[in-house]
Amino acid sequence: MHNYKIIVAYDGTRYKGWQNQKTTDATIQGKLEKILEKMTGRPIQIIGSGRTDAGVHAKGQTANFYLKDSYDEEELLEMFNQYLPEDIAALSVKEAGERFHSRFSAIGKIYRYRIHTGKIPEVFERKYVYSYNRPLDVERMKEAAEHMIGTKDFAAFCGNRHMKKSTVRSVYEIRFQETEEELQIIYNGNGFLQNMVRIMTGTLIEVGEGKKKPEDIPSIIASKNRERAGFTAPAQGLTLMEVKYH
Amino acid sequence: MHNYKIIVAYDGTRYKGWQNQKTTDATIQGKLEKILEKMTGRPIQIIGSGRTDAGVHAKGQTANFYLKDSYDEEELLEMFNQYLPEDIAALSVKEAGERFHSRFSAIGKIYRYRIHTGKIPEVFERKYVYSYNRPLDVERMKEAAEHMIGTKDFAAFCGNRHMKKSTVRSVYEIRFQETEEELQIIYNGNGFLQNMVRIMTGTLIEVGEGKKKPEDIPSIIASKNRERAGFTAPAQGLTLMEVKYH
């Protein structure tokens, strides 16, 4: 068996996420699997590094799949891009070691959340930003974000209320990039729970607009109570930028 | 009467252009006029600096309109952005002198044409670039573009075969900006004929792919024959960047 690693970019606007329990048709994984099935004549499973929610974008989602025969990497790449819809692109396809697993081998992920803070609506990037259209107190948000750094139980920031596995994750860094019109928050961690980046962002926005205080964060985390954290920021502002491997 | 100057940005993807003889509903001018009519209770005409074709975008289209009463500029701006669809935005509204006319007062226009030359399809900018997906010989294109500079009869580059008015225009500069994945051509002139920038771009692309020679340009221009020039490059790659006034 040959194990291939694929890096994928997508505009998540019209998809039900990377994967969906009810359908494969409107998922990115489903679109990729359909192409492999067409090529090989048999169903091939694609293993993603993790699911992205409906509407979330990616510039560096990573997945792997096994093929019985060996294929030229360049040919595989071209085939994907020939048959993928225009809102999904394969950025690279490389043969990986047999033991490479896009989820289990991942050591970190980088997400970016874009908030349009300018008063004039953003026309061209409108599907990739949260149109907040008001200023935020970024200094307060930075202070709050400091409390989110570290290895903690992030149950309060988990969108899955029936989560049975560990809700402990390590957040290495939360970086803010500001222009006059836009605030970007870049999250770097070993992994993120369902909706975690969006709930962290919603919480930081509530701090930035004065509804919560930076000092509230430690007790929100300690509560492990989703009700204590902020709102779930809209999916469209979020992009999975990179999945890191050794 | 109060004369207001408005600068507008739009994603032209789903519109039949700035203006259309058959309909106002799917035009940018129509959307703006509808808001003014709602506000004032009477039909108000908006005068654009020029028409942009169906599918062409703008970051700085300029127009003007007359109102009987005086309105606060900031309030007008907010009202437009409150009622405009998300693919159109008013960037500024300022009261102008009575004699200001967005078309007749214009002294120049800047257009940008984006060609995606990278092999991997561009996902996020796909609606704002021409997905050419192959390299072009930019040096040859620059050479060809030099022959297009100056005050000339551009009849060979006019999409309107029944043009009765002068087809003489001045092109001041054609600039090329290159990244690994994209070629941008920026056109600066006193005005452009219908489809002129798209036909110039199509012609330059044909030079860049070796179908035409840079030295062919003078005779193409001299022929005044549309058939001699290149193809009309797709609307989606084109953006009206700025309309210049004294």
Side-chain angles (χ1 to χ4, degrees):
Chain A
M1 293 295 266
H2 298 266
N3 187 11
Y4 292 92
K5 174 186 176 187
I6 180 170
I7 302 178
V8 189
Y10 45 88
D11 171 346
T13 309
R14 66 185 188 100
Y15 293 99
K16 298 203 162 120
W18 169 261
Q19 196 185 47
N20 186 289
Q21 274 153 350
K22 287 181 204 131
T23 175
T24 58
D25 201 45
T27 67
I28 294 98
Q29 182 181 307
K31 294 285 177 197
L32 293 163
E33 287 178 344
K34 216 165 89 182
I35 291 169
L36 285 175
E37 179 164 356
K38 208 180 276 178
M39 186 185 80
T40 62
R42 74 193 78 187
I44 306 278
Q45 205 205 337
I46 293 206
I47 304 151
S49 76
R51 292 175 194 173
T52 50
D53 296 340
V56 170
H57 318 292
K59 291 202 171 200
Q61 168 68 300
T62 308
N64 70 297
F65 55 90
Y66 292 91
L67 296 180
K68 226 173 107 185
D69 302 314
S70 170
Y71 285 83
D72 182 71
E73 295 167 342
E74 202 57 30
E75 267 175 44
L76 278 174
L77 179 69
E78 278 175 28
M79 192 202 48
F80 275 115
N81 286 325
Q82 189 179 341
Y83 293 108
L84 281 169
E86 60 171 15
D87 49 8
I88 307 178
L91 304 184
S92 87
V93 180
K94 299 280 174 212
E95 187 157 358
E98 214 182 313
R99 298 183 55 193
F100 174 78
H101 186 287
S102 66
R103 187 159 79 254
F104 302 141
S105 308
I107 56 165
K109 277 184 187 171
I110 295 176
Y111 276 96
R112 180 186 66 183
Y113 200 95
R114 295 176 63 181
I115 304 164
H116 182 74
T117 51
K119 205 171 101 181
I120 307 285
E122 168 52 51
V123 163
F124 297 96
E125 301 292 305
R126 68 188 187 277
K127 290 184 173 162
Y128 315 126
V129 300
Y130 169 31
S131 296
Y132 186 75
N133 297 351
R134 303 187 288 281
L136 284 162
D137 187 335
V138 181
E139 288 316 307
R140 279 171 65 94
M141 295 170 78
K142 283 182 184 168
E143 223 185 289
E146 279 307 309
H147 295 293
M148 295 172 172
I149 305 296
T151 302
K152 297 171 197 284
D153 187 335
F154 284 99
F157 296 86
C158 181
N160 179 359
R161 280 152 209 251
H162 308 291
M163 180 75 171
K164 285 175 188 140
K165 295 181 214 155
S166 167
T167 44
V168 174
R169 293 290 183 279
S170 297
V171 175
Y172 306 130
E173 192 190 24
I174 302 175
R175 209 151 46 79
F176 292 76
Q177 276 182 353
E178 241 184 309
T179 65
E180 228 173 281
E181 302 288 314
E182 185 173 321
L183 174 64
Q184 298 191 352
I185 314 179
I186 295 112
Y187 298 86
N188 182 347
N190 71 340
F192 295 89
L193 301 162
Q194 192 181 324
N195 290 354
M196 178 169 156
V197 179
R198 293 168 57 191
I199 299 169
M200 288 171 97
T201 303
T203 307
L204 290 174
I205 289 172
E206 289 182 16
V207 171
E209 59 195 5
K211 286 185 194 155
K212 284 190 165 51
K213 290 196 280 281
E215 316 86 80
D216 294 343
I217 304 298
S219 74
I220 292 172
I221 295 174
S223 77
K224 298 180 192 172
N225 179 357
R226 169 67 189 90
E227 305 301 324
R228 292 282 311 279
F231 77 109
T232 305
Q236 69 178 57
L238 187 60
T239 304
L240 171 56
M241 300 300 284
E242 193 187 340
V243 185
K244 293 194 172 191
Y245 300 94
H246 273 301
Chain B
M1 294 294 268
H2 298 266
N3 187 11
Y4 292 93
K5 175 185 175 185
I6 181 171
I7 301 178
V8 189
Y10 46 87
D11 171 346
T13 308
R14 66 185 189 99
Y15 293 99
K16 299 204 163 119
W18 168 261
Q19 195 186 45
N20 186 291
Q21 273 154 350
K22 288 181 202 129
T23 176
T24 58
D25 201 44
T27 67
I28 294 99
Q29 182 181 307
K31 295 285 177 197
L32 293 163
E33 286 178 345
K34 217 165 89 181
I35 291 169
L36 284 176
E37 178 164 356
K38 208 180 274 178
M39 186 185 83
T40 61
R42 74 192 78 184
I44 306 279
Q45 205 206 338
I46 294 207
I47 304 150
S49 76
R51 294 175 191 173
T52 51
D53 295 342
V56 169
H57 317 293
K59 293 202 169 197
Q61 169 66 300
T62 307
N64 70 298
F65 55 91
Y66 292 91
L67 297 179
K68 226 173 107 185
D69 302 316
S70 170
Y71 286 84
D72 182 70
E73 295 168 342
E74 201 57 31
E75 268 174 44
L76 278 175
L77 179 69
E78 279 175 26
M79 190 203 49
F80 275 115
N81 286 324
Q82 189 181 341
Y83 293 109
L84 280 170
E86 61 172 15
D87 49 8
I88 307 176
L91 304 184
S92 86
V93 180
K94 298 281 174 211
E95 186 158 359
E98 213 184 312
R99 297 184 55 193
F100 174 78
H101 185 287
S102 65
R103 187 158 80 255
F104 302 140
S105 308
I107 57 164
K109 278 186 186 169
I110 295 176
Y111 276 97
R112 179 184 68 184
Y113 199 96
R114 295 176 63 183
I115 305 165
H116 182 74
T117 51
K119 205 171 101 179
I120 307 286
E122 167 53 51
V123 164
F124 296 97
E125 301 291 306
R126 67 187 186 279
K127 290 184 173 161
Y128 315 127
V129 299
Y130 169 31
S131 295
Y132 186 75
N133 297 350
R134 303 186 289 281
L136 283 163
D137 187 335
V138 181
E139 287 316 307
R140 278 171 66 93
M141 296 170 77
K142 283 182 184 168
E143 222 184 291
E146 278 307 310
H147 295 295
M148 295 172 172
I149 305 296
T151 301
K152 295 169 199 285
D153 186 335
F154 284 99
F157 297 86
C158 180
N160 179 356
R161 281 156 209 248
H162 309 291
M163 180 73 172
K164 284 175 192 139
K165 294 182 217 157
S166 167
T167 44
V168 174
R169 293 291 183 279
S170 297
V171 176
Y172 305 131
E173 192 190 25
I174 302 176
R175 210 152 45 80
F176 292 77
Q177 277 183 352
E178 244 185 307
T179 66
E180 229 173 280
E181 302 288 315
E182 186 174 321
L183 174 63
Q184 298 190 353
I185 313 179
I186 296 112
Y187 298 86
N188 182 346
N190 71 340
F192 295 89
L193 301 162
Q194 191 182 324
N195 290 353
M196 178 169 155
V197 179
R198 293 168 59 192
I199 299 170
M200 287 171 96
T201 303
T203 307
L204 290 174
I205 287 172
E206 290 182 14
V207 170
E209 60 194 4
K211 285 185 197 155
K212 283 190 165 54
K213 291 198 279 280
E215 315 87 79
D216 294 342
I217 304 299
S219 73
I220 292 172
I221 296 174
S223 78
K224 298 180 193 174
N225 179 358
R226 170 68 191 90
E227 305 301 323
R228 291 282 311 278
F231 77 111
T232 306
Q236 68 178 59
L238 187 60
T239 304
L240 171 56
M241 300 300 284
E242 194 187 339
V243 184
K244 294 196 171 190
Y245 299 94
H246 272 301

